[in-house]
Amino acid sequence: MQTNFTLAQLADPHIAEAEKILRACVHCGFCTATCPTYVLDGNELDSPRGRIYLIKDMLEHDRPASAETALHIDRCLSCLACMTTCPSGVHYMHLVDHARGHVERTYRRPPVERFMRALLSWLLPHPRRFALALLAAIPAKPFAPLAGALGLERLAAMLRLAPWRGPHRTLGPNVYPAVGPRKGRVGLLVGCANDVLAPQINASTIAVLTRHGIEVVLAPGAGCCGSLVHHMGRETEALDRARANIEAWSAIDGLDAIVINASGCGTTVKDYGARWPDRKLGQGHQRISDDAAARAEARRCGPHRRLSLGLLAAARPAGDPAT
Ligand code: SF4
Ligand code: SF4
C-alpha cells in the first residue's frame, strides 16, 4: 500500500513502524474472511482492511480520531485472527495498538463512555476490587432493566452477565512445591480477571505442574499483564503493569519459565520487549533477557515447557530467535 508520510512524521519511531506495517498491506482482503466483526455485520469498516485504511488516513494527516474511526477501532476485538490469514505478514496487532493510543490521546468520548472506561480500567486489572464489584453486583443484578431504561446499556449488560454467586479465590501460598523430585521452577502469572472469574484454571495449572515435578512460584507484585488497559489505549498504565511484572519475576531466583494460561496475557507478555523498545522497562528486563543459562534450561525442560504458553522469552530482546 502506498503511503504519504512526511519525513518529519517518520522521525517518530512509532509512526515509522506504523508506516512499515501499512506498506506491507496489499489490500487483498483475505483477512476479511477470518474477522469476526466483519463476518457479523458485513461492514468493510469493521474488517481489518477497512480499519487499516481508517488508521492510515488518521495517521497520515496527523488528525484527531473522529467518532467514526474510534467506533470501528473500538469494535476490533484484537483477536488477531486476521494475522493468521494475511499472506503479506501485516503486523495488524502493532498497528491497531498504536491506533488505540492515538484515539485515546486525541478523541474526546461522550461522558458515559469515559465513565465506563475509567471504571473498567480501575476495576478489572485489580482482583480485589473486581471481586468486591462482583459481590456488589449480586444485589444490583435485579436493577439491570432499570439501568437499561436510563440509557446505561453497557452497565445493564454487565449486571445481566454478573454471576449470582460471589467469587471464590483458591490461591494461598506464594510457592507450591513440586510433587517428588523437582525438575524445574516456574513463575505463574495468575492474572487479574481470570483469577476472579475462574480461579479453578490457576488451581488446575498449579496441580498439573506440581504433579509433573515443577515448583510453581506466584511472584509477589506480579498481576495483570497490562493488556486490559493497553487495549483501551492507556499506554502509561500498561507500561506500569509490564514494569511491575518484569521486576516481580526478576526478584525470584532460578525461574526456568513464566507460565501463562490465558492466551491474551501470553500474547501481551511475549510482546513486552517489542512493544516498548524505546522505553526503559526496569532493571529486571535486562537481567532476564541476559540470562542465557536460564533460557537454555527452559528450552531443555521439554515436558513442562509444553505446558507453558508464555515463556521466559517474554522479556527477551526483540529479534532474539533463540526461543
Ligand atoms: S490479508 Fe493482509 S495484505 Fe490482504 S488486505 Fe488483509 S491485511 Fe492487507
Ligand atoms: S483483530 Fe480480530 S476483530 Fe480485529 S480486525 Fe483482526 S480479525 Fe477483526
Side-chain angles (χ1 to χ4, degrees), residues 34-37 46-48 51 75-82 92:
T34 50
C35 174
T37 56
D46 284 326
S47 77
R51 293 186 178 110
R75 282 181 180 171
C76 171
L77 306 172
S78 278
C79 65
L80 310 182
C82 49
Y92 178 83

Side-chain angles (χ1 to χ4, degrees), residues 137-196:
I138 295 172
K141 244 177 108 61
F143 297 101
L146 179 64
L150 292 173
L152 299 171
E153 265 311 321
R154 291 182 188 178
L155 185 61
M158 284 191 279
L159 287 175
R160 279 195 293 271
L161 287 171
W164 280 109
R165 285 187 314 166
H168 176 64
R169 297 189 76 199
T170 52
L171 296 179
N174 284 336
V175 178
Y176 292 79
V179 176
R182 194 178 91 175
K183 299 176 194 161
R185 188 169 201 244
V186 300
L188 173 67
L189 178 73
V190 295
C192 52
N194 188 35
D195 195 42
V196 177

Side-chain angles (χ1 to χ4, degrees), residues 53-74:
Y53 273 106
L54 288 174
I55 295 168
K56 175 180 182 291
D57 185 59
M58 177 175 73
L59 296 182
E60 267 183 355
H61 295 95
D62 197 17
R63 67 164 67 112
S66 64
E68 185 191 35
T69 304
L71 174 73
H72 295 295
I73 290 175
D74 283 354

Side-chain angles (χ1 to χ4, degrees), residues 25-31 49 52 86-88 90:
C25 177
V26 294
H27 15 137
C28 61
F30 284 8
C31 52
R49 184 172 57 181
I52 286 170
C86 175
S88 296
V90 172

